[in-house]
Amino acid sequence: MTVSACLTTSSATHCCQPCAIRRGSASRGARSPPRPASQRARRGLACRGFLSGLFGSGGGSGGATVAEPGVAEDYSLENLDEVLLTELQAEDGSQRYIVYRNGGLVDAAELEALCDKVGWPRRPQNKVQAALANSFLVATLTLEDAPPRSSSSDCSDGSSSGSGSGSPPTSSRPASSSSGTPGRLIGLARCTSDGAFNATLWDVLVDPEFQGQGLGKALVEGVTRTLLKRDITNITLFADSAGKP
Amino acid sequence: MKLTGAALGLSDGINTQKPALMVDTLEQQLPPPPISKSDEQFLEGGVEFVWGEEGLDVGELNDLFEKVGFPRRDPSRLALALANTYRTIWIRAARKSRLAREGQLLGFARATSDGALSAVIWDVSVAPAWQRGGLGRALVERLTSSLVHDGIATITLYAEPGVVALYEKLGYVSDPEGIRGVAFQTKSAFGRSMAAALRR
């Protein structure tokens, strides 16, 4: 599936207008208040760093500059809690948005269906629910009809890259478009932690329909950055040998 | 419980030389490990086990960490970590002796968990003067039993190479089905970095 790639991070303090994000150009929210240049530059770096893998390969544009290896040390300006990862076009021509979200609501039944889809053995529902509730952080990927409420495209580094042509077919279900309803769950990652030193990632999964485009990587990167932002630096996880990039 | 890790590509360097050990108690209905030496026996030897962080002094804990070669922690962050820890067990000197004053902290272990599916054991430590007396094993036996008793499906821990054998004796398994533990290494990296996820 090809996607049009334009990257924004949301800022809760900023811009209430949904941004029109178009392939091939970095558009700014029409009513964004001007930002100091240093802040813009740092957000640009943060944008690039956050999903450097997502667009650095596979998109094929080659035009997106990739950040220096290693993460941006200053996380203070990023709002990592809700990030528009990518935008794509559904069969009917409407826009869909893949959103990364920290602490989003997870419907247990929907998660179970997703686990089935990736081929995991079933686990008792009550345990899954308890585990979600007691996890330090649960991050989700959702497919939505509207961009996140507070998105603003301030990544003026031209990180948008057009790749491929034609609309990718997506089996988007007729989701309600009210802003309060979460979209379709297509990915999840959760971690346990003591909130100070150690964290362990569990249950990283991406809907097979959306695999192969760096979303799993984005999930892990998002959780990792969120943890680092809180000075939790011993981040661990268990990977099987079949872990796919 | 199948695990998919997507730690590939984190550019800050991932140490992959860590056997991963997982225990799937849910599927296998594993019983808790037998307690090899009872509380009474230990009490006769002048030590007692205490559950929970009440009565635990953070400064003393840092001293213990230092004695065993773990990094000392910022006290307030350590207190925060303890508050967010699922289960804590420690060992206290039951009486004054040549090696300890009464009430002195001799050993420690804790586990973080989501309370249902997974738990990770951290910071298992025994004061050097009290090592080789079965205290480390006793701590892990009790902590593991307690987690199994709570119905937690997967119990893991990370061990220095020299102590992996201890955990294997308790039923933990290295690298089950090729699963490996990996840890994110930042510039402010920590000393303990061998990850052995243990399968029980």
Side-chain angles (χ1 to χ4, degrees), chain A residues 88-96 166-173:
Chain A
L88 46 91
Q89 218 167 23
E91 272 170 336
D92 58 6
S94 60
Q95 295 299 105
R96 295 283 184 271
S167 317
T170 59
S171 57
S172 52
R173 64 182 186 198

Side-chain angles (χ1 to χ4, degrees), chain B residues 74-148:
Chain B
D74 173 85
S76 54
R77 276 190 85 81
L78 183 52
L80 175 66
L82 290 174
N84 287 316
T85 292
Y86 180 75
R87 185 138 307 140
T88 303
I89 181 174
W90 47 289
I91 305 176
R92 177 164 63 191
R95 55 176 182 264
K96 180 169 151 57
S97 71
R98 185 170 48 87
L99 295 175
R101 61 166 206 289
E102 185 182 349
Q104 183 170 335
L105 176 69
L106 306 177
F108 175 84
R110 67 184 178 104
T112 52
S113 176
D114 53 36
L117 293 178
S118 68
V120 189
I121 294 176
W122 305 100
D123 297 337
V124 179
S125 41
V126 175
W130 294 80
Q131 288 175 8
R132 310 222 61 86
L135 289 183
R137 178 178 177 143
L139 278 170
V140 177
E141 276 173 358
R142 283 160 175 73
L143 187 53
T144 306
S145 291
S146 138
L147 297 171
V148 172

Side-chain angles (χ1 to χ4, degrees), chain B residues 12 54 57-58 77 85 98 111-112 116 132 157 172 184:
Chain B
D12 210 322
E54 197 182 316
D57 178 75
V58 161
R77 276 190 85 81
T85 292
R98 185 170 48 87
T112 52
R132 310 222 61 86
L157 67 91
Y172 285 79
F184 187 77

Side-chain angles (χ1 to χ4, degrees), chain A residues 147-163:
Chain A
R149 183 173 23 95
S150 52
S151 70
S152 73
S153 62
D154 212 346
C155 297
S156 52
D157 56 349
S159 61
S160 59
S161 64
S163 81

